[in-house]
């Protein structure tokens, strides 16, 4: 019974991931024009040790790409929510750009509209707004984030449908169908940016490089076969890690996956956040603890091989197995 419940949870997570990838693909399509620079999964620093993620971010210089145009450029942040439950979770809505959008599906937006109508009928709609406005404000207490002013809403509707048609008979979002993004609520104001220009551009660049590494990973599994890491560590023709010619025994499957991931991405910076996302699946406290255990096991393997220096301690995972 427990296994069936776990399988159902994993299946739901996979579906939600596909939906999110589809919506980000629609954003990428819209951003693929001259003079727009974009990155997905941009980690934004908050309090010490606390990071939020902007699902998709674009930067548009003002007019020309000279210094003046860059300094007057605009960052636009898109937060993607594919279910009503996810929308009202405690997960941050990181609206930190001059322009900000919530991106969602027609079935979720239809419920947002129903909530607003219900708030009006109950007489609880006030200057602070309804349920969604209050939720956004609770997650961004230090920022002015008003729907229709500082925050817009983009809705994915089936190709050929209008927004009203999609909301009148809302159907669950199907990643295999064709959709377009329609602006349901405009972002009419240019908000004050909460992070410096240099910081934002650096975070976008870092996210872009991390994504490039993950794309390479999809095609890099074969690269581990017959790979010589150093005089003592190598991979055989079956992709097994060898120490002095003998297979290395990993106590934990995650340690092996983490080791392989770092080797696939050797020579570039890999953050703990990326490992939690790509190897463990999510950054829960339990997974953070698991990562620390796997790190200790991996360090022990390297130490036994006399090559602990392959792991750069000063820069986290940067430089591991750098060629």
């Amino acid at each position: 019974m427990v296994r069936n419940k776990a399988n159902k949870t994993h299946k739901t997570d996979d579906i939600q991931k596909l939906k999110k990838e589809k919506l980000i693909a629609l954003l990428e399509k819209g951003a693929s024009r001259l003079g727009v620079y974009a990155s997905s999964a941009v980690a934004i620093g908050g309090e010490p040790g606390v990071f939020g993620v902007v699902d998709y971010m674009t930067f548009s210089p003002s007019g020309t790409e000279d210094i003046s145009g860059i300094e007057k450029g605009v960052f636009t942040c898109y937060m993607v929510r594919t279910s009503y439950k996810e929308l009202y979770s405690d997960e941050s809505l990181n609206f930190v750009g001059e322009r900000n959008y919530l991106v969602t599906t027609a079935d979720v937006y239809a419920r947002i509209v129903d909530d607003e109508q219900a708030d009006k009928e109950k007489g609880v709609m006030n200057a602070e707004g309804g349920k969604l406005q209050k939720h956004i404000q609770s997650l961004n207490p230090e920022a002015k984030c008003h729907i229709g002013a500082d925050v817009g809403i983009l809705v994915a509707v089936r190709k050929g449908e209008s927004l009203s048609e999609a909301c009148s008979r809302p159907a669950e979002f199907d990643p295999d169908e064709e959709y377009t993004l329609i602006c349901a609520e405009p972002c009419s104001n240019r908000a004050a940016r909460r992070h410096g220009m240099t910081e934002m551009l650096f975070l976008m660049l870092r996210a872009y490089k991390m994504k490039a590494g993950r794309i390479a990973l999809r095609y890099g599994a074969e690269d581990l076969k017959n790979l010589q890491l150093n005089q003592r560590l190598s991979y055989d023709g079956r992709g097994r890690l060898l120490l002095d010619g003998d297979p290395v025994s990993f106590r934990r499957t995650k340690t092996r996956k983490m080791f392989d991931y770092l080797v696939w991405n050797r020579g570039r910076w890999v953050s703990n956040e990326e490992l939690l996302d790509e190897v463990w699946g999510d950054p829960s406290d339990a997974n953070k603890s698991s990562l620390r255990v796997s790190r200790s096991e991996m360090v022990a393997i390297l130490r036994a091989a006399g090559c602990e220096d392959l792991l750069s301690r000063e820069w986290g995972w940067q430089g591991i197995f750098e060629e």
Side-chain angles (χ1 to χ4, degrees), residues 224-243:
L224 292 186
K225 293 181 179 179
N226 300 310
L227 175 66
Q228 191 76 36
L229 296 175
N230 61 13
Q231 290 183 344
R232 302 189 64 188
L233 283 171
S234 63
Y235 284 87
D236 65 12
R238 294 166 57 186
R240 297 180 303 174
L241 181 67
L242 306 179
L243 172 59

Side-chain angles (χ1 to χ4, degrees), residues 96-160:
V96 296
E98 285 96 344
R99 299 194 184 281
N100 303 280
Y101 286 92
L102 170 67
V103 184
T104 191
T105 60
D107 55 317
V108 175
Y109 184 68
R111 294 189 65 176
I112 292 173
V113 173
D114 289 343
D115 287 341
E116 186 172 311
Q117 184 61 37
D119 287 339
K120 288 179 180 178
E121 292 175 357
K122 293 175 183 176
V124 297
M125 183 79 78
N126 52 35
E128 296 180 359
K131 181 178 179 178
L132 179 59
Q133 176 60 54
K134 292 173 183 175
H135 177 64
I136 291 175
Q137 201 64 48
S138 71
L139 296 174
N140 297 269
E142 298 180 358
K144 289 183 178 181
C145 293
H146 294 95
I147 300 170
D150 311 283
V151 177
I153 301 179
L154 299 178
V155 182
V157 302
R158 284 188 175 86
K159 205 165 186 178

Side-chain angles (χ1 to χ4, degrees), residues 224 235-236 238-241 248 250-262 264 279 294 297 301:
L224 292 186
Y235 284 87
D236 65 12
R238 294 166 57 186
R240 297 180 303 174
L241 181 67
V248 173
F250 289 89
R251 296 196 310 271
R252 310 175 80 242
T253 301
K254 290 295 186 186
T255 306
R256 169 60 192 270
K257 290 182 178 179
M258 180 177 75
F259 193 95
D260 288 348
Y261 187 82
L262 291 170
W264 275 321
V279 180
S294 286
E297 182 184 354
I301 291 170

Side-chain angles (χ1 to χ4, degrees), residues 59-132:
F59 174 70
S60 304
S62 177
T64 60
E65 294 179 4
D66 57 18
I67 297 299
S68 175
I70 292 172
E71 290 177 345
K72 296 176 183 177
V74 174
F75 291 92
T76 304
C77 296
Y78 301 87
M79 297 303 300
V80 178
R81 294 295 179 263
T82 60
S83 72
Y84 190 78
K85 180 180 179 180
E86 182 188 21
L87 175 60
Y88 283 102
S89 70
D90 292 333
E91 187 176 353
S92 296
L93 289 166
N94 299 298
F95 296 131
V96 296
E98 285 96 344
R99 299 194 184 281
N100 303 280
Y101 286 92
L102 170 67
V103 184
T104 191
T105 60
D107 55 317
V108 175
Y109 184 68
R111 294 189 65 176
I112 292 173
V113 173
D114 289 343
D115 287 341
E116 186 172 311
Q117 184 61 37
D119 287 339
K120 288 179 180 178
E121 292 175 357
K122 293 175 183 176
V124 297
M125 183 79 78
N126 52 35
E128 296 180 359
K131 181 178 179 178
L132 179 59

